[in-house]
Structure formats: structure tokens, C-alpha cells
Amino acid sequence: MDDDQQKSGGPRRITDLGTLKALGHPLRLRVYGALRVSGPSTASQLASQVDEAVSLVSYHLRKLAEHGLIKEAEVQSGDARERWWQAAQDTLSFRHEDFRDSPEGAATHAAVVRSLISYRREQYETYLDQQEAWGADWRIAADQSDFLARLNPAELTRLNAEIHALVRTYEEQGKAAEAAGDTEGRENVAVHLASFPFRI
């Protein structure tokens, strides 16, 4: 996004079930994800990205807007009749703790997280299918790792906070570099993190 008027709001933590349900629809997750990556877009542009009918995408855009997840953006073309949309916040989060008091809330939270995992897996599998086309530099830079640590909850909380802060530093560096005209070789990069306890 090029200027302050185009920028989304800060982070948002979803705590109400209606908003979580609105986000949790698989097509809405894809549409919201496309807006985060592409920036301001029309329903027809998004329909092309998610391979769905414009009327269906328009319906889901309205549902996302009803819950403040997206908002109207300034018109980006000469056609003032076109309606443009953008994400209403930089990041979204939702925690099990906010929904655990009702069976419906806990089930909805779990379903949305599973949908997100599926969406992220699809992203990574698409990269794997296309990795030869990316070239050696990107193939060498890309990574898939897992680690095993013996931690307590406080240590895991601290680890996650430090990882998030580091990734945000790189996000801001990339935005600043692009704003200064350094766009050569830059691509969207997905960084997925899952950290959780387990027993065998």
C-alpha cells in the first residue's frame, strides 16, 4: 500500500463468535488472504484470483465487511463505479481461550484453525509444485524445518513473542525498502509457524 490512506489498521484480536464464523468460511479465508497479499482489489479481480464467480465473491466480501474484517478502499482506477476493498487490519488473531466457554465457540475455533492449516498447506504445496520455476536462489532460500525443544508454557510464550518480533522486523524492512524504490527481486514470502506441546 502506497500511502497512509491505503494502510490497514493495526492488529485485531477476534473475540466474538459471529466474527469468527464470518472469517471461518473457506472461501472468505481465501478472499481475505488475497486482499492481504494484493492490497486493494475489486470483486472481479478477487474472483479471478480465487477462481470463483464475481457474484459469489461479492456476497462474501459483504459478509466480511459486516464484521469489520475488510473495508472499502479508495478507487484505484478511472471507473468510479467500481467498488474497491482492502483488509481492515494488518493482522488478525483469535485464541482458544476466548471461545472455550461454549461448545459452539470451541468447535468453531477448532474448525477455523483447521481451515487455516489447510489453506497454508495448499500454499506450500503450490510452491512445491512450482519450485523449479522459481530458480536456484529462491529454492536455496526457501526452508521447511521443525525443531524439538523441552519448554514450559512461559518459555514457549517468550519464544513465540521473539519469533513474531523478528518476522515483523523483516516485514517492516521489506516495506521500507519497497517504499524507497528497492523492488528488484522481491516476492511475497509466507512464514508459517505452529508451536504446540505434544506427548508420545
Side-chain angles (χ1 to χ4, degrees):
M1 301 174 208
D2 296 329
D3 56 50
D4 289 339
Q5 291 180 324
Q6 294 293 341
K7 289 180 182 173
S8 300
R12 175 182 176 186
R13 181 167 170 172
I14 296 174
T15 57
D16 67 286
L17 186 57
T19 301
L20 187 63
K21 284 181 173 180
L23 177 67
H25 187 283
L27 180 53
R28 288 180 204 153
L29 281 173
R30 289 169 57 209
V31 167
Y32 183 82
L35 279 173
R36 282 189 66 211
V37 172
S38 301
S41 304
T42 65
S44 54
Q45 290 171 335
L46 292 163
S48 175
Q49 290 181 54
V50 301
D51 196 27
E52 294 287 352
V54 175
S55 58
L56 183 61
V57 170
S58 294
Y59 169 79
H60 287 298
L61 284 168
R62 289 193 298 273
K63 291 298 180 184
L64 290 168
E66 283 175 17
H67 292 273
L69 296 165
I70 65 170
K71 61 185 180 181
E72 286 197 58
E74 288 186 9
V75 174
Q76 307 288 305
S77 68
D79 188 352
R81 296 171 300 170
E82 287 186 313
R83 198 171 188 183
W84 289 75
W85 298 96
Q86 68 185 49
Q89 51 279 306
D90 291 330
T91 58
L92 289 175
S93 66
F94 39 90
R95 308 289 296 180
H96 172 73
E97 291 302 307
D98 293 323
F99 300 97
R100 64 188 293 268
D101 290 340
S102 77
E104 183 184 15
T108 300
H109 179 269
V112 173
V113 171
R114 286 188 175 96
S115 292
L116 275 173
I117 291 168
S118 177
Y119 174 70
R120 291 169 182 162
R121 183 178 60 243
E122 181 182 317
Q123 279 187 310
Y124 188 59
E125 288 176 349
T126 298
Y127 164 73
L128 292 176
D129 291 341
Q130 300 172 351
Q131 62 184 327
E132 284 302 316
W134 279 101
D137 287 349
W138 280 110
R139 289 195 304 273
I140 291 167
D143 182 55
Q144 173 63 32
S145 303
D146 74 295
F147 304 91
L148 177 62
R150 296 280 295 172
L151 305 176
N152 62 36
E155 290 166 339
L156 179 55
T157 299
R158 195 164 62 247
L159 172 64
N160 287 331
E162 290 174 9
I163 292 171
H164 292 191
L166 178 62
V167 173
R168 281 193 294 271
T169 297
Y170 276 87
E171 285 177 339
E172 293 306 315
Q173 285 177 2
K175 288 177 186 175
E178 281 202 311
D182 177 9
T183 58
E184 184 68 29
R186 294 189 182 278
E187 300 285 353
N188 296 314
V189 173
V191 180
H192 299 158
L193 172 68
S195 58
F196 51 91
F198 70 98
R199 295 183 180 124
I200 52 173

